Amino acid sequence: MTDNQQPTPNMLPTIRLANNDQLPRIGLGMWKVDDTRCESLVAEAVEAGYRHFDCACDYGNEAAIGRGLQSVLRSGSVSREELWITSKLWNTYHRREHVRSAVERSLADLQLDYLDLYLVHFPIALQFVDFDVRYPPGWLHDPDAATPAMQLDRVPIAETWAAMEELVTAGLVRNIGVCNFGTSLLRDLLNYANVTPAVLQVESHPYLVQDKLLRFCQQHDIAMTAFSPLGALSYVSLNMAEPGDTVLSEPTVVEIADRHARTAAQIVMRWGLQRGTAIIPKTANRDRLRENIDLFDFELSDAEMQAISGLDQHRRFNDPGVFCEQAFNTFCPIYE
């Protein structure tokens, strides 16, 4: 299917992975979706045409998502084979002996036999927190300590990746990948990986274009998924961005949106798709669900694509080097 065709619910454009699995180009990000909304939202998203759901242990809502998935599967409105479900290994489970237990917990919560994609959430290893002590464990080792902080663990990425590969062999996950890695970490991982990472998921939007990273991924047949494809919107409520930081009010974006009779958000998401990434916008609004997927019956010109890319500020909203110190009393840069 070409990018300028309007998809039917069972024919979303995809990115073909190295093993020929098809990653839907648009998914629904489940970060910050309240438990009470997850079940109905999954059903509404499937009805709107979504087949790709981006989940994570750390989001704390996988059990609620699982109820939604079982509801749509039991209804017969979609089959398991039509769905693409992603989850992520949290930082406290990087040691080899904890990786399988972590994915099994996500599978139990999601009520699934396998994941289509399992990602290392951050290149940050934290000391293990037992499932019976706290789940999801979050960033703080002991939230009740006098000065709560993160407790880093000395776990090589090679150890974690070898355990991720075992999940593929066991049939618990079909594909594995990483989040929040740069080219240096990816290059090192490729030197020893027996299973090449299928996907890199990173923050990317017109204020954080990351062209070199995308080019590197394309060179090595790694699909790139852009989280926070609309930029600052998800971070204002967390005091990680200001309302004025939105790319949606940029005159360049507004002018292009007017030209195409589209919303500014649709223009920014179309830019993300057209440059070759998958995108996982988050919304709990029924109308926005449909707006966010209605991106395939128009195309941006080369000049429009370049103009949007020219808005790049190298502006990262989701930066552990900033928020870990502010929120968790621990300086933890990973991108510098």
Side-chain angles (χ1 to χ4, degrees), residues 244-284:
D245 292 332
T246 177
V247 70
L248 301 185
S249 60
E250 284 281 354
T252 296
V253 174
V254 172
E255 179 185 343
I256 295 172
D258 289 344
R259 191 179 304 143
H260 289 273
R262 296 286 175 155
T263 67
Q266 287 176 309
I267 295 301
V268 169
M269 288 186 287
R270 177 68 203 189
W271 169 85
L273 291 173
Q274 211 166 301
R275 64 196 297 258
T277 69
I279 60 172
I280 45 171
K282 174 259 177 185
T283 185

Side-chain angles (χ1 to χ4, degrees), residues 26-179:
I26 299 180
L28 181 61
M30 301 303 292
W31 179 46
K32 294 173 58 186
V33 178
D34 190 85
D35 274 14
T36 60
R37 182 70 176 100
C38 284
E39 187 169 350
S40 59
L41 182 62
V42 168
E44 290 168 18
V46 167
E47 182 184 3
Y50 290 82
R51 297 295 181 262
H52 174 183
F53 294 87
D54 184 79
C55 314
C57 153
D58 187 55
Y59 301 166
N61 56 9
E62 287 192 324
I65 295 167
R67 292 191 293 272
L69 292 173
Q70 283 306 303
S71 178
V72 296
L73 289 169
R74 284 195 302 267
S75 75
S77 60
V78 69
S79 69
R80 173 64 185 95
E81 292 71 28
E82 293 174 283
L83 294 174
W84 181 282
I85 310 299
T86 296
S87 188
K88 305 178 187 75
L89 177 77
W90 186 240
N91 304 338
T92 52
Y93 307 132
H94 277 212
R95 287 197 172 273
R96 190 168 198 153
E97 60 265 31
H98 303 312
V99 171
R100 180 158 181 159
S101 297
V103 78
E104 287 175 341
R105 176 59 188 263
S106 281
L107 287 169
D109 284 348
L110 292 166
Q111 301 185 53
L112 299 175
D113 296 325
Y114 69 92
L115 293 172
D116 298 277
L117 177 63
Y118 198 46
L119 302 170
V120 178
H121 205 150
F122 283 96
I124 299 171
L126 298 178
Q127 291 188 18
F128 177 64
V129 175
D130 192 276
F131 295 88
D132 293 331
V133 171
R134 191 171 65 255
Y135 188 88
W139 292 85
L140 296 171
H141 188 72
D142 180 4
D144 298 322
T147 305
M150 298 160 52
Q151 289 192 15
L152 298 171
D153 199 5
R154 297 183 60 169
V155 186
I157 291 170
E159 176 180 332
T160 305
W161 192 253
M164 295 281 285
E165 292 177 332
E166 291 171 2
L167 303 181
V168 178
T169 302
L172 297 174
V173 305
R174 290 182 57 87
N175 297 276
I176 53 177
V178 293
C179 303

Side-chain angles (χ1 to χ4, degrees), residues 307-326:
I308 296 170
S309 295
L311 299 173
D312 194 8
Q313 300 177 2
H314 307 288
R315 176 75 187 278
R316 193 183 302 276
F317 296 104
N318 193 325
D319 187 349
V322 176
F323 70 74
C324 285
E325 188 167 26
Q326 293 176 345

Side-chain angles (χ1 to χ4, degrees), residues 13-17 20-25 223-225 276-278:
T14 61
I15 298 174
R16 185 183 296 274
L17 304 183
N20 290 321
D21 280 358
Q22 304 282 337
L23 170 69
R25 296 287 301 278
M224 184 165 147
T225 297
T277 69

